[in-house]
Amino acid sequence: EAGVAQSPRYKIIEKRQSVAFWCNPISGHATLYWYQQILGQGPKLLIQFQNNGVVDDSQLPKDRFSAERLKGVDSTLKIQPAKLEDSAVYLCASSSTANTEAFFGQGTRLTVV
Amino acid sequence: AQSVTQPDIHITVSEGASLELRCNYSYGATPYLFWYVQSPGQGLQLLLKYFSGDTLVQGIKGFEAEFKRSQSSFNLRKPSVHWSDAAEYFCAVGAVSSASKIIFGSGTRLSIRP
């Protein structure tokens, strides 16, 4: 069974630029999560999708972050414009339903300079 | 609201010694509990999970955890650690709900002394 795929693995951008991350969840998984993990901290949930609907985006900085999950499969997370404090690893995870174990991708390490 | 506390930021144990990592959670209803491990530069891997039933759960790599409702705890244990266990360990809590989200603790970094 293929795991959660994320790209790119690494990205370096200047502040005020925009960036997008892509995630392909495990086939058949209805729930998709985006987490932000700042160095030395635990993952913080940014947004949770159930199929193509948003379940929770209470911690998403909506003035600069956006996410979509078209057709209930792949998802993209965008930051525009980026700030220095957005430097982090962005983790995508999926689960078969909302309250079962989540499977994580390798993450995208973003550095904003 | 759900929350998870991992009181130990960094723990060092000798190879072959026993290990216990602490986790306390806060949630008003029946929780789902998880332990994940993260090696440098890697994503998170599930070690074990508790949904219901036997409060002592076995996981991969020789780990186990015990759910104690009265103490709101879900501590991770291993009887004898190996150098390859050095990593960051995260406790997480979910909920019995179709709209549940999984909330993570701040993690405990485990170092192994040769």
Side-chain angles (χ1 to χ4, degrees):
Chain A
E1 175 182 81
V4 177
Q6 290 188 247
S7 67
R9 285 296 311 275
Y10 306 93
K11 190 74 176 179
I12 301 175
I13 62 171
E14 295 182 349
K15 58 184 179 183
R16 292 187 289 274
Q17 284 188 322
S18 63
V19 64
F21 313 128
W22 173 82
C23 173
N24 181 234
I26 292 173
S27 178
H29 279 192
T31 305
L32 186 146
Y33 311 84
W34 283 102
Y35 287 86
Q36 179 193 56
Q37 187 177 22
I38 293 173
L39 187 64
Q41 299 181 19
K44 182 181 84 171
L45 180 67
L46 292 176
I47 189 167
Q48 177 178 341
F49 292 94
Q50 184 73 15
N51 296 307
N52 61 349
V54 175
V55 173
D56 189 306
D57 63 356
S58 57
Q59 302 246 63
L60 187 74
K62 299 180 185 65
D63 58 333
R64 299 184 299 106
F65 286 64
S66 64
E68 60 182 9
R69 190 183 185 196
L70 299 176
K71 301 181 181 179
V73 182
D74 292 6
S75 178
T76 55
L77 176 70
K78 297 178 181 178
I79 308 175
Q80 182 179 11
K83 294 184 175 181
L84 295 177
E85 58 260 38
D86 298 331
S87 294
V89 175
Y90 291 84
L91 295 164
C92 180
S94 70
S95 62
S96 55
T97 61
N99 50 11
T100 56
E101 67 194 82
F103 294 85
F104 282 81
Q106 298 270 58
T108 295
R109 181 177 298 277
L110 174 67
T111 302
V112 183
V113 298
Chain B
Q2 301 154 251
S3 68
V4 180
T5 302
Q6 293 182 248
D8 304 306
I9 297 174
H10 183 204
I11 285 181
T12 300
V13 300
S14 298
E15 189 167 17
S18 63
L19 169 71
E20 183 168 29
L21 302 182
R22 296 184 290 164
C23 172
N24 292 97
Y25 69 91
S26 174
Y27 186 65
T30 302
Y32 286 170
L33 295 160
F34 309 87
W35 274 100
Y36 283 84
V37 61
Q38 186 177 38
S39 298
Q42 302 297 311
L44 288 94
Q45 180 185 24
L46 182 72
L47 285 176
L48 47 78
K49 61 189 177 187
Y50 171 78
F51 284 174
S52 65
D54 192 347
T55 57
L56 183 63
V57 294
Q58 303 296 323
I60 62 171
K61 303 184 181 184
F63 286 92
E64 66 177 27
E66 186 171 12
F67 170 56
K68 293 185 177 180
R69 185 186 300 275
S70 61
Q71 298 176 20
S72 298
S73 69
F74 189 57
N75 294 348
L76 182 71
R77 301 193 294 249
K78 186 170 185 178
S80 176
V81 298
H82 186 262
W83 64 266
S84 59
D85 293 325
E88 189 91 20
Y89 290 80
F90 294 94
C91 182
V93 62
V96 183
S97 164
S98 60
S100 167
K101 55 188 179 184
I102 300 175
I103 302 299
F104 284 80
S106 54
T108 296
R109 183 160 62 92
L110 175 65
S111 297
I112 306 297
R113 190 184 302 119

mmCIF file of all heavy atoms in Angstrom, chain A residues 6-30:
data_model
loop_
_atom_site.group_PDB
_atom_site.id
_atom_site.type_symbol
_atom_site.label_atom_id
_atom_site.label_comp_id
_atom_site.label_asym_id
_atom_site.label_seq_id
_atom_site.Cartn_x
_atom_site.Cartn_y
_atom_site.Cartn_z
ATOM 1 N N GLN A 6 4.125 13.556 -0.398
ATOM 2 C CA GLN A 6 4.184 15.014 -0.326
ATOM 3 C C GLN A 6 5.297 15.526 -1.233
ATOM 4 O O GLN A 6 6.332 14.883 -1.385
ATOM 5 C CB GLN A 6 4.478 15.494 1.102
ATOM 6 C CG GLN A 6 3.355 15.293 2.080
ATOM 7 C CD GLN A 6 3.647 15.971 3.404
ATOM 8 O OE1 GLN A 6 3.834 15.309 4.427
ATOM 9 N NE2 GLN A 6 3.667 17.303 3.405
ATOM 10 N N SER A 7 5.078 16.704 -1.789
ATOM 11 C CA SER A 7 6.142 17.365 -2.544
ATOM 12 C C SER A 7 5.951 18.870 -2.461
ATOM 13 O O SER A 7 4.832 19.355 -2.248
ATOM 14 C CB SER A 7 6.118 16.914 -4.011
ATOM 15 O OG SER A 7 4.948 17.370 -4.640
ATOM 16 N N PRO A 8 7.051 19.625 -2.562
ATOM 17 C CA PRO A 8 8.426 19.133 -2.582
ATOM 18 C C PRO A 8 8.888 18.705 -1.191
ATOM 19 O O PRO A 8 8.171 18.906 -0.225
ATOM 20 C CB PRO A 8 9.198 20.369 -3.062
ATOM 21 C CG PRO A 8 8.415 21.521 -2.489
ATOM 22 C CD PRO A 8 6.974 21.101 -2.571
ATOM 23 N N ARG A 9 10.062 18.131 -1.069
ATOM 24 C CA ARG A 9 10.605 17.772 0.253
ATOM 25 C C ARG A 9 11.210 18.985 0.937
ATOM 26 O O ARG A 9 11.153 19.102 2.162
ATOM 27 C CB ARG A 9 11.687 16.705 0.115
ATOM 28 C CG ARG A 9 11.193 15.315 -0.178
ATOM 29 C CD ARG A 9 10.343 14.721 0.964
ATOM 30 N NE ARG A 9 10.950 14.838 2.278
ATOM 31 C CZ ARG A 9 11.836 13.990 2.791
ATOM 32 N NH1 ARG A 9 12.230 12.955 2.077
ATOM 33 N NH2 ARG A 9 12.326 14.165 4.017
ATOM 34 N N TYR A 10 11.787 19.871 0.153
ATOM 35 C CA TYR A 10 12.433 21.065 0.694
ATOM 36 C C TYR A 10 12.092 22.264 -0.191
ATOM 37 O O TYR A 10 11.946 22.121 -1.410
ATOM 38 C CB TYR A 10 13.955 20.902 0.740
ATOM 39 C CG TYR A 10 14.422 19.675 1.474
ATOM 40 C CD1 TYR A 10 14.659 18.486 0.784
ATOM 41 C CD2 TYR A 10 14.610 19.691 2.850
ATOM 42 C CE1 TYR A 10 15.078 17.347 1.460
ATOM 43 C CE2 TYR A 10 15.024 18.551 3.530
ATOM 44 C CZ TYR A 10 15.251 17.397 2.832
ATOM 45 O OH TYR A 10 15.658 16.277 3.504
ATOM 46 N N LYS A 11 11.982 23.431 0.484
ATOM 47 C CA LYS A 11 11.713 24.658 -0.256
ATOM 48 C C LYS A 11 12.314 25.823 0.508
ATOM 49 O O LYS A 11 12.108 25.936 1.726
ATOM 50 C CB LYS A 11 10.209 24.846 -0.424
ATOM 51 C CG LYS A 11 9.800 25.943 -1.378
ATOM 52 C CD LYS A 11 10.023 25.541 -2.812
ATOM 53 C CE LYS A 11 9.517 26.632 -3.754
ATOM 54 N NZ LYS A 11 9.743 26.277 -5.179
ATOM 55 N N ILE A 12 13.045 26.658 -0.216
ATOM 56 C CA ILE A 12 13.578 27.884 0.376
ATOM 57 C C ILE A 12 13.024 29.050 -0.417
ATOM 58 O O ILE A 12 13.159 29.077 -1.648
ATOM 59 C CB ILE A 12 15.124 27.903 0.341
ATOM 60 C CG1 ILE A 12 15.690 26.711 1.108
ATOM 61 C CG2 ILE A 12 15.655 29.221 0.931
ATOM 62 C CD1 ILE A 12 17.212 26.578 1.013
ATOM 63 N N ILE A 13 12.415 29.995 0.272
ATOM 64 C CA ILE A 13 11.862 31.178 -0.394
ATOM 65 C C ILE A 13 12.196 32.414 0.425
ATOM 66 O O ILE A 13 12.559 32.322 1.604
ATOM 67 C CB ILE A 13 10.330 31.078 -0.580
ATOM 68 C CG1 ILE A 13 9.614 30.990 0.787
ATOM 69 C CG2 ILE A 13 9.960 29.905 -1.454
ATOM 70 C CD1 ILE A 13 8.104 31.097 0.689
ATOM 71 N N GLU A 14 12.050 33.553 -0.216
ATOM 72 C CA GLU A 14 12.235 34.812 0.488
ATOM 73 C C GLU A 14 10.892 35.241 1.087
ATOM 74 O O GLU A 14 9.828 34.889 0.568
ATOM 75 C CB GLU A 14 12.767 35.876 -0.458
ATOM 76 C CG GLU A 14 14.159 35.563 -0.982
ATOM 77 C CD GLU A 14 14.693 36.655 -1.879
ATOM 78 O OE1 GLU A 14 13.919 37.554 -2.259
ATOM 79 O OE2 GLU A 14 15.890 36.611 -2.216
ATOM 80 N N LYS A 15 10.992 36.015 2.160
ATOM 81 C CA LYS A 15 9.753 36.505 2.777
ATOM 82 C C LYS A 15 8.974 37.324 1.747
ATOM 83 O O LYS A 15 9.546 37.946 0.850
ATOM 84 C CB LYS A 15 10.046 37.323 4.025
ATOM 85 C CG LYS A 15 10.921 38.517 3.824
ATOM 86 C CD LYS A 15 11.205 39.194 5.173
ATOM 87 C CE LYS A 15 12.121 40.384 4.962
ATOM 88 N NZ LYS A 15 12.474 41.033 6.255
ATOM 89 N N ARG A 16 7.684 37.258 1.899
ATOM 90 C CA ARG A 16 6.705 37.903 1.017
ATOM 91 C C ARG A 16 6.465 37.148 -0.294
ATOM 92 O O ARG A 16 5.566 37.514 -1.039
ATOM 93 C CB ARG A 16 7.055 39.374 0.731
ATOM 94 C CG ARG A 16 6.920 40.268 1.957
ATOM 95 C CD ARG A 16 7.108 41.737 1.588
ATOM 96 N NE ARG A 16 8.491 42.026 1.254
ATOM 97 C CZ ARG A 16 9.423 42.348 2.141
ATOM 98 N NH1 ARG A 16 9.129 42.376 3.429
ATOM 99 N NH2 ARG A 16 10.654 42.619 1.754
ATOM 100 N N GLN A 17 7.249 36.105 -0.544
ATOM 101 C CA GLN A 17 6.959 35.274 -1.710
ATOM 102 C C GLN A 17 5.836 34.290 -1.374
ATOM 103 O O GLN A 17 5.434 34.151 -0.220
ATOM 104 C CB GLN A 17 8.208 34.497 -2.140
ATOM 105 C CG GLN A 17 9.242 35.343 -2.871
ATOM 106 C CD GLN A 17 10.371 34.512 -3.437
ATOM 107 O OE1 GLN A 17 10.819 33.542 -2.824
ATOM 108 N NE2 GLN A 17 10.850 34.889 -4.608
ATOM 109 N N SER A 18 5.348 33.621 -2.388
ATOM 110 C CA SER A 18 4.307 32.618 -2.181
ATOM 111 C C SER A 18 4.886 31.225 -2.418
ATOM 112 O O SER A 18 5.912 31.060 -3.095
ATOM 113 C CB SER A 18 3.131 32.863 -3.120
ATOM 114 O OG SER A 18 3.546 32.731 -4.464
ATOM 115 N N VAL A 19 4.225 30.223 -1.826
ATOM 116 C CA VAL A 19 4.686 28.844 -1.950
ATOM 117 C C VAL A 19 3.473 27.925 -1.859
ATOM 118 O O VAL A 19 2.462 28.270 -1.223
ATOM 119 C CB VAL A 19 5.725 28.504 -0.862
ATOM 120 C CG1 VAL A 19 5.104 28.572 0.527
ATOM 121 C CG2 VAL A 19 6.364 27.154 -1.109
ATOM 122 N N ALA A 20 3.576 26.767 -2.501
ATOM 123 C CA ALA A 20 2.488 25.787 -2.443
ATOM 124 C C ALA A 20 3.060 24.408 -2.201
ATOM 125 O O ALA A 20 4.126 24.060 -2.731
ATOM 126 C CB ALA A 20 1.687 25.798 -3.745
ATOM 127 N N PHE A 21 2.346 23.641 -1.402
ATOM 128 C CA PHE A 21 2.714 22.274 -1.091
ATOM 129 C C PHE A 21 1.601 21.351 -1.577
ATOM 130 O O PHE A 21 0.429 21.698 -1.516
ATOM 131 C CB PHE A 21 2.903 22.073 0.421
ATOM 132 C CG PHE A 21 3.732 23.116 1.090
ATOM 133 C CD1 PHE A 21 3.272 23.784 2.210
ATOM 134 C CD2 PHE A 21 4.980 23.451 0.592
ATOM 135 C CE1 PHE A 21 4.037 24.750 2.834
ATOM 136 C CE2 PHE A 21 5.755 24.417 1.210
ATOM 137 C CZ PHE A 21 5.279 25.072 2.330
ATOM 138 N N TRP A 22 2.009 20.158 -1.968
ATOM 139 C CA TRP A 22 1.041 19.208 -2.509
ATOM 140 C C TRP A 22 1.048 17.921 -1.678
ATOM 141 O O TRP A 22 2.097 17.502 -1.163
ATOM 142 C CB TRP A 22 1.402 18.907 -3.962
ATOM 143 C CG TRP A 22 0.597 17.822 -4.596
ATOM 144 C CD1 TRP A 22 -0.630 17.900 -5.145
ATOM 145 C CD2 TRP A 22 1.005 16.452 -4.749
ATOM 146 N NE1 TRP A 22 -1.033 16.682 -5.643
ATOM 147 C CE2 TRP A 22 -0.047 15.776 -5.405
ATOM 148 C CE3 TRP A 22 2.145 15.730 -4.394
ATOM 149 C CZ2 TRP A 22 0.019 14.420 -5.717
ATOM 150 C CZ3 TRP A 22 2.210 14.390 -4.707
ATOM 151 C CH2 TRP A 22 1.141 13.743 -5.356
ATOM 152 N N CYS A 23 -0.102 17.318 -1.543
ATOM 153 C CA CYS A 23 -0.236 16.084 -0.786
ATOM 154 C C CYS A 23 -1.172 15.124 -1.500
ATOM 155 O O CYS A 23 -2.276 15.510 -1.918
ATOM 156 C CB CYS A 23 -0.765 16.364 0.617
ATOM 157 S SG CYS A 23 -1.157 14.884 1.588
ATOM 158 N N ASN A 24 -0.742 13.872 -1.610
ATOM 159 C CA ASN A 24 -1.586 12.815 -2.136
ATOM 160 C C ASN A 24 -1.787 11.783 -1.037
ATOM 161 O O ASN A 24 -0.834 11.092 -0.661
ATOM 162 C CB ASN A 24 -0.946 12.172 -3.375
ATOM 163 C CG ASN A 24 -1.808 11.069 -3.965
ATOM 164 O OD1 ASN A 24 -1.368 9.947 -4.149
ATOM 165 N ND2 ASN A 24 -3.045 11.385 -4.257
ATOM 166 N N PRO A 25 -2.972 11.674 -0.485
ATOM 167 C CA PRO A 25 -3.183 10.774 0.659
ATOM 168 C C PRO A 25 -3.240 9.307 0.227
ATOM 169 O O PRO A 25 -3.213 8.997 -0.963
ATOM 170 C CB PRO A 25 -4.545 11.227 1.182
ATOM 171 C CG PRO A 25 -5.262 11.700 -0.043
ATOM 172 C CD PRO A 25 -4.208 12.341 -0.900
ATOM 173 N N ILE A 26 -3.326 8.447 1.192
ATOM 174 C CA ILE A 26 -3.502 7.021 0.932
ATOM 175 C C ILE A 26 -4.866 6.821 0.262
ATOM 176 O O ILE A 26 -5.865 7.425 0.673
ATOM 177 C CB ILE A 26 -3.393 6.213 2.231
ATOM 178 C CG1 ILE A 26 -1.952 6.278 2.755
ATOM 179 C CG2 ILE A 26 -3.827 4.769 2.029
ATOM 180 C CD1 ILE A 26 -1.742 5.661 4.118
ATOM 181 N N SER A 27 -4.863 5.985 -0.756
ATOM 182 C CA SER A 27 -6.083 5.761 -1.524
ATOM 183 C C SER A 27 -7.240 5.329 -0.628
ATOM 184 O O SER A 27 -7.095 4.433 0.208
ATOM 185 C CB SER A 27 -5.814 4.692 -2.584
ATOM 186 O OG SER A 27 -6.994 4.415 -3.308
ATOM 187 N N GLY A 28 -8.371 5.994 -0.789
ATOM 188 C CA GLY A 28 -9.552 5.636 -0.016
ATOM 189 C C GLY A 28 -9.704 6.338 1.311
ATOM 190 O O GLY A 28 -10.736 6.215 1.972
ATOM 191 N N HIS A 29 -8.681 7.058 1.726
ATOM 192 C CA HIS A 29 -8.766 7.768 3.008
ATOM 193 C C HIS A 29 -9.596 9.033 2.863
ATOM 194 O O HIS A 29 -9.285 9.913 2.076
ATOM 195 C CB HIS A 29 -7.367 8.112 3.522
ATOM 196 C CG HIS A 29 -6.704 6.977 4.208
ATOM 197 N ND1 HIS A 29 -5.549 7.127 4.954
ATOM 198 C CD2 HIS A 29 -7.028 5.667 4.281
ATOM 199 C CE1 HIS A 29 -5.204 5.967 5.458
ATOM 200 N NE2 HIS A 29 -6.080 5.054 5.056
ATOM 201 N N ALA A 30 -10.642 9.117 3.677
ATOM 202 C CA ALA A 30 -11.562 10.241 3.562
ATOM 203 C C ALA A 30 -11.057 11.493 4.287
ATOM 204 O O ALA A 30 -11.389 12.607 3.917
ATOM 205 C CB ALA A 30 -12.930 9.852 4.125
#
